[in-house]
Amino acid sequence: MNLFQWLKPPKRNKAPDLTAEQKERLSNLPRAAALSADSLRAQRWVVMDLETSGLNMSRDEVLSIGAVVIEDGAIDLGQQFERTLLRPDHKLSPSVLIHGLGPSAIAAGSEPVEALLDFMDFVGDSPMLAFHAPFDQHMLGRALKESLGYKLQHPFLDVADIAPLLCPQACLRQAGLDDWTGFFGLHAEERHHASADALVTAELALILMSHARRQEMDSPLLLEQGLAKWRRRQQSHSF
């Protein structure tokens, strides 16, 4: 850092310009709940997936959000969420075309503030599941902070880690969603689409929860503790 950079005042993020109604909705969002010691079946889970304009976690943007709910030990197709977070003036980048978000999808896209408020209202106080969750958690958290001034505090569990924790016999290292769905014989109707990816991730999560129950990790809290121990073992083996 040179002298002039050191003398510059730190950049302050501009506060989001929200309407009175949006501020009220924001203030009424439920607080995130801690992971429960009750059974996995008793927990409402939100399984989510994001499509983004790229993989740069500080520069790229969320294009769309897809989510489905697991409740009472089953996928509740009556509780699904899908939004495109694009304005009509967005250019058609290659990533937009890959995700199938053509001109009609862009024209129907929701204004980011409203879409994110809708999503967090859908989530409620539930924990979230995602495949490669740290990426989705960071991108969603950044979008919420920039658009709403909202700090994401909901617990995220990573299905990409839960799978090898509970099924080491699969011998799948650094495996993707397609690898695990193939291992369990699941079939995704569509890929690179947030809603379809969220649904197949939910199907995979249900299978893994049955394995967790058999391995005496039958609560969100016990599963998270098992994941923490597994990650520590992975790190120790990497040295």
Side-chain angles (χ1 to χ4, degrees):
M1 179 180 292
N2 62 40
L3 177 62
F4 294 104
Q5 289 175 317
W6 184 77
L7 291 172
K8 284 181 182 178
K11 288 184 178 180
R12 298 184 182 274
N13 292 328
K14 182 181 177 182
D17 187 15
L18 305 179
T19 66
E21 181 182 357
Q22 289 168 341
K23 289 178 182 177
E24 183 177 3
R25 289 189 65 191
L26 181 62
S27 67
N28 290 331
L29 290 176
R31 291 180 179 272
L35 290 173
S36 170
D38 294 334
S39 71
L40 292 170
R41 184 182 180 89
Q43 178 66 62
R44 177 185 186 266
W45 300 91
V46 174
V47 188
M48 57 91 69
D49 184 78
L50 301 179
E51 302 300 348
T52 63
S53 59
L55 298 178
N56 187 306
M57 295 168 69
S58 61
R59 185 185 64 227
D60 287 309
E61 298 179 348
V62 175
L63 301 179
S64 64
I65 305 173
V68 67
V69 166
I70 293 177
E71 195 163 25
D72 296 325
I75 297 170
D76 184 354
L77 295 177
Q79 298 186 70
Q80 294 190 74
F81 184 94
E82 184 174 12
R83 290 289 190 283
T84 301
L85 276 68
L86 292 174
R87 302 170 191 262
D89 59 352
H90 269 71
K91 294 180 180 180
L92 288 182
S93 68
S95 60
V96 171
L97 296 174
I98 287 171
H99 298 311
L101 301 174
S104 61
I106 292 174
S110 299
E111 197 275 326
V113 167
E114 291 296 329
L116 290 166
L117 282 169
D118 288 346
F119 180 61
M120 295 313 297
D121 188 54
F122 173 84
V123 171
D125 65 354
S126 300
M128 290 191 248
L129 291 168
F131 200 92
H132 292 148
F135 178 81
D136 292 83
Q137 183 178 14
H138 179 90
M139 294 298 288
L140 176 62
R142 206 187 96 217
L144 288 166
K145 186 70 174 176
E146 291 175 356
S147 294
L148 302 177
Y150 177 90
K151 184 177 180 180
L152 181 65
Q153 295 182 311
H154 291 64
F156 271 73
L157 270 65
D158 191 355
V159 178
D161 283 351
I162 295 172
L165 161 69
L166 298 174
C167 304
Q169 72 280 6
C171 298
L172 293 175
R173 295 183 178 180
Q174 299 181 334
L177 183 57
D178 290 331
D179 298 308
W180 283 107
T181 55
F183 177 77
F184 287 111
L186 299 173
H187 176 67
E189 293 293 332
E190 191 176 0
R191 287 286 279 113
H192 300 297
H193 186 283
S195 294
D197 286 354
L199 182 57
V200 75
T201 301
E203 292 172 353
L204 175 58
L206 280 179
I207 294 172
L208 294 171
M209 286 180 191
S210 68
H211 285 263
R213 283 188 286 270
R214 291 195 293 270
Q215 297 179 40
E216 300 183 347
M217 285 184 259
D218 189 19
S219 78
L221 183 58
L222 286 173
L223 184 55
E224 194 277 335
Q225 290 172 349
L227 277 169
K229 291 178 182 177
W230 178 84
R231 291 187 184 111
R232 287 196 293 270
R233 290 197 302 270
Q234 298 303 112
Q235 289 173 356
S236 65
H237 293 160
S238 65
F239 291 111

